[in-house]
Amino acid sequence: MPVISRRTLIKTMAAAPAVATVGSFSPIAGAQGAQFNFKYGNNLPLSHPLNIRAQEVADRIKEESKGRLVITIFPNNQLGGDTDMMAQVRRGGIDLFTPSALVIATLVPVAAINAVGFAFADYDQVWKAMDGRLGSFVRTSIEKVGLYAMDNMWDNGFRQITNNSRPIQSPADLNGVKIRVPVSPIIVDMFKALGSAPVGMQYSEVYSSLQTKVIDAQENPLVIIQTGKIFEVQKYCSLTNHIWDGYWFIVNGKSWANLPPDLKEIMTAAFKDGAQKQRSDLRKMNETVMGELKAQNLSFNSTTPDSFRSKLKEAGFYGVWRQKFGDEAWGLLEEAVGKLS
């Protein structure tokens, strides 16, 4: 089977007629004469599969609504950082925003439940949970703060660990390791329970901190490891799949409520199809990225998730977070992945 590079994949998708407007979309021209004009902000470049497919969704909605609903994309933090855009979508300054589950968890704590360490063995379990009863539970919780979440999450990928000392094959290999993590309580708690020394830090500081040995390791999806050139300052990448994260498509509650039923139906169907396509895009990119990272001399190794799960259970991690999320949400997670605590 021929290997398709990440660059080729992006060019192929960008060349498709339905998404050709991604790089040249005119907000003013697209919004003129529309009954509803939705502003959508995110933190990703236009070349990312999420924005390519989101533009495709916006084009479909415009066509099927006969121009009554126009969605304008503001990518790459044009409208501010995640915290700013979260505040704007709550106020109605923007109508759509795609926070990761870890970002929206600052407002809706149960949204972080997909970040329970080593909960998901594979994508089948991820989508069983997040497209099923657990996802429905989280969406209901999001509605309680005046926002509306579209039915399906879009993929951000499983997170992997890189470091300079040795392959991480068991929890013992993490003992005392200073690892950068997002400023997220559940991730900090997980790595403490595994015996490492997690350091909460903004992603923009990661490369220089690895280079100057302020930290020993970091964790991110493979695509981020590549685009951030982490391979230049790290030797080993351990395929731990310790956390899966994704993006919720969040709509301002009043903006959603003001849409007539037919436009809600058009929007729901378009975003559902877009989610499936974006998930497929990201999986193909991840498969290609690994080969490209190997070519950059990043060494890969597999791991045994059961040893990490056992360590987390022994340290009380699952028990603590079961209490924080509540028995109902935890039960829905275990319904998809099996017993954790």
Side-chain angles (χ1 to χ4, degrees), residues 136-173:
S136 179
F137 183 91
V138 174
R139 290 197 303 276
T140 299
S141 300
I142 290 171
E143 287 185 33
K144 291 177 181 177
V145 298
L147 299 169
Y148 180 82
M150 303 304 292
D151 290 347
N152 303 105
M153 293 185 79
W154 292 37
D155 194 11
N156 190 24
F158 281 95
R159 302 176 78 93
Q160 320 297 350
I161 296 174
T162 68
N163 83 104
N164 270 334
S165 301
R166 57 187 174 274
I168 304 298
Q169 296 176 322
S170 71
D173 295 318

Side-chain angles (χ1 to χ4, degrees), residues 234-310:
Q234 298 275 264
K235 296 178 182 178
Y236 303 100
C237 182
S238 302
L239 299 174
T240 49
N241 288 340
H242 53 276
I243 284 173
W244 174 83
D245 194 19
Y247 299 100
W248 285 106
F249 252 100
I250 301 298
V251 191
N252 172 268
K254 290 182 179 178
S255 298
W256 179 255
N258 287 337
L259 286 179
D262 67 318
L263 292 186
K264 287 181 180 178
E265 185 175 342
I266 289 171
M267 191 169 167
T268 297
F271 274 100
K272 185 178 183 67
D273 289 348
Q276 301 306 317
K277 293 175 181 177
Q278 186 268 348
R279 293 174 184 181
S280 177
D281 293 341
L282 198 67
R283 290 194 71 170
K284 290 175 184 175
M285 283 183 68
N286 277 330
E287 292 168 3
T288 304
V289 163
M290 187 182 297
E292 294 175 356
L293 289 171
K294 286 180 179 178
Q296 296 291 339
N297 297 318
L298 189 65
S299 177
F300 284 83
N301 69 278
S302 58
T303 60
T304 53
D306 287 347
S307 65
F308 291 91
R309 278 191 180 189
S310 296

Side-chain angles (χ1 to χ4, degrees), residues 39-341:
K39 292 169 64 177
Y40 161 43
N42 65 59
N43 62 5
L44 297 167
L46 282 171
S47 60
H48 192 280
L50 184 141
N51 271 322
I52 292 174
R53 294 303 182 182
Q55 184 62 64
E56 180 178 289
V57 167
D59 292 343
R60 172 178 166 177
I61 289 170
K62 182 180 178 181
E63 180 181 356
E64 293 186 6
S65 70
K66 296 181 172 54
R68 292 162 59 208
L69 173 57
V70 171
I71 297 174
T72 305
I73 301 174
F74 295 86
N76 213 25
N77 290 319
Q78 286 183 12
L79 301 181
D82 285 340
T83 301
D84 294 329
M85 287 188 283
M86 180 66 75
Q88 289 179 64
V89 78
R90 293 190 73 191
R91 294 195 307 265
I94 60 177
D95 306 278
L96 283 160
F97 174 44
T98 36
S100 80
L102 294 174
V103 171
I104 197 169
T106 60
L107 180 64
V108 184
V110 76
I113 196 165
N114 62 264
V116 169
F118 297 91
F120 297 110
D122 51 39
Y123 270 112
D124 287 343
Q125 289 187 349
V126 168
W127 303 132
K128 180 180 179 181
M130 304 317 298
D131 288 342
R133 285 167 25 103
L134 180 60
S136 179
F137 183 91
V138 174
R139 290 197 303 276
T140 299
S141 300
I142 290 171
E143 287 185 33
K144 291 177 181 177
V145 298
L147 299 169
Y148 180 82
M150 303 304 292
D151 290 347
N152 303 105
M153 293 185 79
W154 292 37
D155 194 11
N156 190 24
F158 281 95
R159 302 176 78 93
Q160 320 297 350
I161 296 174
T162 68
N163 83 104
N164 270 334
S165 301
R166 57 187 174 274
I168 304 298
Q169 296 176 322
S170 71
D173 295 318
L174 280 170
N175 190 40
V177 172
K178 290 186 292 182
I179 182 169
R180 176 269 173 182
V181 299
V183 185
S184 166
I186 192 169
I187 299 183
V188 171
D189 279 4
M190 182 188 73
F191 278 102
K192 282 183 178 178
L194 291 172
S196 63
V199 179
M201 139 185 337
Q202 296 300 314
Y203 175 70
S204 59
E205 302 172 36
V206 172
Y207 186 96
S208 61
S209 296
L210 289 168
Q211 193 174 40
T212 57
K213 303 188 186 308
V214 171
I215 52 176
D216 307 310
Q218 66 87 51
E219 53 81 56
N220 262 302
L222 290 180
V223 172
I224 303 299
I225 291 169
Q226 186 197 46
T227 58
K229 298 186 182 299
I230 301 299
F231 58 84
E232 293 181 347
V233 288
Q234 298 275 264
K235 296 178 182 178
Y236 303 100
C237 182
S238 302
L239 299 174
T240 49
N241 288 340
H242 53 276
I243 284 173
W244 174 83
D245 194 19
Y247 299 100
W248 285 106
F249 252 100
I250 301 298
V251 191
N252 172 268
K254 290 182 179 178
S255 298
W256 179 255
N258 287 337
L259 286 179
D262 67 318
L263 292 186
K264 287 181 180 178
E265 185 175 342
I266 289 171
M267 191 169 167
T268 297
F271 274 100
K272 185 178 183 67
D273 289 348
Q276 301 306 317
K277 293 175 181 177
Q278 186 268 348
R279 293 174 184 181
S280 177
D281 293 341
L282 198 67
R283 290 194 71 170
K284 290 175 184 175
M285 283 183 68
N286 277 330
E287 292 168 3
T288 304
V289 163
M290 187 182 297
E292 294 175 356
L293 289 171
K294 286 180 179 178
Q296 296 291 339
N297 297 318
L298 189 65
S299 177
F300 284 83
N301 69 278
S302 58
T303 60
T304 53
D306 287 347
S307 65
F308 291 91
R309 278 191 180 189
S310 296
K311 179 69 172 179
L312 291 179
K313 188 173 182 179
E314 177 187 321
F317 171 82
Y318 293 126
V320 167
W321 282 92
R322 176 174 186 154
Q323 286 187 330
K324 291 184 178 183
F325 289 130
D327 287 342
E328 184 177 2
W330 195 264
L332 294 174
L333 174 63
E334 291 189 329
E335 185 179 278
V337 305
K339 195 72 173 173
L340 290 170
S341 60

